[in-house]
Amino acid sequence: MRKITADAIYTVSGERLVGTILVLDNQGTIVAIEPLAAHDLASVERYEGVIVPGFVNAHCHLELSHMKGRINTGTQLIPFITSVVQNRAASPELIETAMRAAEQEMLEGGIVAVGDISNQTDTFALKAASKLRFFTFVEFFDLLQTHDADKVFNQYNQVYQQAPKTGKDAASCVPHAPYSVSDKLFGLLNTVQSGLTTISIHNQETQPETELFMTKSGDFVRFYEGFGMKLDDFEAIGQTSIHYALARMNPQHRSLFVHNTLTSAEDLATAMRWSEHTFWATCPNANLYIENRLPNYKIFMDAGAKVCVGTDSLTSNWKLSILDELKTIAKYQSYVPFETMLRWATLNGAEALGMEAQLGSIEVGKQPGLNLITGLDARGLPGEHTQVRVL
Ligand SMILES: [Zn+2]
């Protein structure tokens, strides 16, 4: 049994608590939340700073950890993707070592659960044995080549069969992005999901994506031609890419749209009318790394959208730290209140992954993990001197 308190406790689902202690059992489950005054001070661990729930990293690619520092910044998405394809090959030992280091970095940074994209089985043994909970999104793409859809479907379905999906972990089959999944492959994906789950998709990350769907022009057309691929089966829809995805996805599932740097208020409203279960993962440092731009968070706040926070992979980020992502939000869009970004980094992510019964907020009966945040700046926001420590 532990009794813990700090200057304040952000429960996220309810009040900010002062003069209160958390009582935890040996597994870290919160068994009571009580006034500090009712307890012998000698029996209580007291900290300077604020206590928040464990962080949920809504978007990562653990299997790409070995490319840390190897891909140029600021190139924009299409050259970035090309560079990843060219640099991905590495020895199993190097891949394994990099993934282990990335897992450790997330644990030490107060992350408790990860929504992780997998194209391969490399991460699966690590995930099954990890203290982190994983929702593995096995990602399918046929690069809009309808004649490849069946082959690709069978290939990635083999990966899905091996993904850890019992006990603490979960998995689903997901489309990579609107610009890389044919109508036929979307249809095949809709046949495999049994029961309600979470479907992740990269969304509206770069301007050429919009051009492809509006007018079948721009750098994506040239990208495909450069690889000798024809786009004969693809027709522009005269709307932004999210409309193509929405018409082919199942609104009953939880849908996790990732990046959304070019998402407009109208796109957001359309998606939120389409389904009550939409989630919007932002990966600010990866957006700066690849495209040097950020989503407009005001649009998401005004719409009441459920924003989550992801790190993306070490291929497109300097660290796997949710606190660092919050520092970036606070630096460039400082109107986002601390409580709001904290909810994005905890409970919204837990809900997106279907793990909110255990994680995401400080409530009796949950086992959310506890983080101590110190050194918030004068505005009460994460800044240069802010640190996180797992309690
Ligand atoms: Zn990604």
Side-chain angles (χ1 to χ4, degrees):
M1 217 61 133
R2 290 174 73 192
K3 298 177 185 176
I4 302 179
T5 191
D7 297 335
I9 299 167
Y10 286 87
T11 61
V12 177
S13 55
E15 297 286 290
R16 172 182 179 272
L17 305 172
V18 176
T20 304
I21 67 155
L22 306 175
V23 184
L24 272 61
D25 72 10
N26 291 335
Q27 274 74 49
T29 302
I30 298 169
V31 295
I33 301 175
E34 293 175 352
L36 176 61
H39 291 264
D40 174 8
L41 285 182
S43 68
V44 177
E45 297 171 45
R46 287 185 291 171
Y47 298 97
E48 283 180 18
V50 301
I51 293 174
V52 306
F55 294 135
V56 176
N57 182 358
H59 185 73
C60 187
H61 303 240
L62 193 59
E63 68 187 17
L64 300 181
S65 300
H66 60 287
M67 280 182 280
K68 183 178 182 180
R70 288 177 63 182
I71 310 291
N72 284 333
T73 60
T75 64
Q76 303 208 336
L77 184 66
I78 293 175
F80 173 84
I81 292 173
T82 308
S83 188
V84 170
V85 171
Q86 289 164 348
N87 285 280
R88 186 166 180 163
S91 73
E93 295 75 27
L94 195 109
I95 291 172
E96 185 69 21
T97 305
M99 292 191 308
R100 297 269 165 216
E103 178 203 21
Q104 195 57 33
E105 182 181 20
M106 287 198 277
L107 284 166
E108 286 170 10
I111 292 169
V112 293
V114 185
D116 190 64
I117 303 283
S118 294
N119 305 127
Q120 303 173 358
T121 59
D122 295 351
T123 58
F124 294 174
L126 180 156
K127 284 171 173 170
S130 180
K131 283 182 192 158
L132 292 165
R133 292 182 66 179
F134 282 95
F135 196 123
T136 297
F137 300 114
V138 178
E139 190 177 71
F140 291 56
F141 57 95
D142 61 5
L143 303 175
L144 301 176
Q145 306 300 298
T146 305
H147 58 272
D148 284 340
D150 283 312
K151 186 186 78 186
V152 159
F153 179 76
N154 291 329
Q155 177 192 336
Y156 291 117
N157 208 13
Q158 295 288 323
V159 176
Y160 171 70
Q161 298 304 329
Q162 298 171 63
K165 52 178 103 57
T166 54
K168 71 183 179 65
D169 296 326
S172 66
C173 300
V174 308
H176 165 256
Y179 59 79
S180 61
V181 178
S182 70
D183 186 48
K184 182 176 179 184
L185 184 53
F186 265 109
L188 290 169
L189 282 168
N190 282 330
T191 65
V192 283
Q193 306 295 350
S194 58
L196 287 187
T197 187
T198 305
I199 305 296
S200 153
I201 183 167
H202 293 84
N203 180 58
Q204 297 183 288
E205 194 175 352
T206 191
Q207 186 59 33
E209 181 177 348
T210 306
E211 291 163 18
L212 178 69
F213 285 90
M214 296 298 283
T215 56
K216 198 177 174 179
S217 63
D219 284 351
F220 263 118
V221 174
R222 286 186 281 278
F223 170 77
Y224 282 123
E225 284 171 357
F227 283 99
M229 292 182 219
K230 293 199 163 73
L231 292 181
D232 295 345
D233 304 326
F234 175 79
E235 283 175 38
I237 57 170
Q239 291 177 299
T240 54
S241 64
I242 195 169
H243 291 81
Y244 173 87
L246 296 179
R248 289 159 181 80
M249 291 169 71
N250 180 349
Q252 305 289 322
H253 293 309
R254 295 179 294 264
S255 297
L256 179 58
F257 297 95
V258 180
H259 291 308
N260 317 307
T261 36
L262 288 125
T263 301
S264 69
E266 192 193 347
D267 293 327
L268 196 52
T270 302
M272 290 175 73
R273 273 196 306 274
W274 168 77
S275 169
E276 291 169 44
H277 317 293
T278 59
F279 295 87
W280 305 85
T282 185
C283 307
N285 287 332
N287 297 154
L288 294 179
Y289 193 108
I290 299 171
E291 292 248 333
N292 208 6
R293 65 187 293 170
L294 292 172
N296 178 357
Y297 296 120
K298 182 158 190 309
I299 291 173
F300 294 85
M301 290 166 67
D302 288 349
K306 290 199 167 175
V307 177
C308 315
V309 180
T311 59
D312 214 341
S313 72
L314 283 173
T315 303
S316 61
N317 204 340
W318 300 270
K319 288 178 75 176
L320 299 183
S321 161
I322 293 295
L323 179 62
D324 266 31
E325 304 298 329
L326 300 186
K327 287 181 185 182
T328 296
I329 295 170
K331 184 171 181 182
Y332 293 104
Q333 297 186 46
S334 60
Y335 57 84
V336 181
F338 180 60
E339 287 88 342
T340 301
M341 64 175 80
L342 191 56
R343 189 181 183 100
W344 295 358
T346 58
L347 189 54
N348 286 359
E351 287 180 9
L353 303 184
M355 296 179 179
E356 74 276 15
Q358 288 289 305
L359 307 180
S361 60
I362 294 175
E363 294 177 58
V364 170
K366 284 198 181 187
Q367 198 180 351
L370 299 179
N371 290 337
L372 182 71
I373 306 282
T374 55
L376 291 170
D377 69 15
R379 303 163 301 175
L381 293 174
E384 218 183 322
H385 305 294
T386 308
Q387 294 191 321
V388 59
R389 178 184 146 192
V390 178
L391 292 178

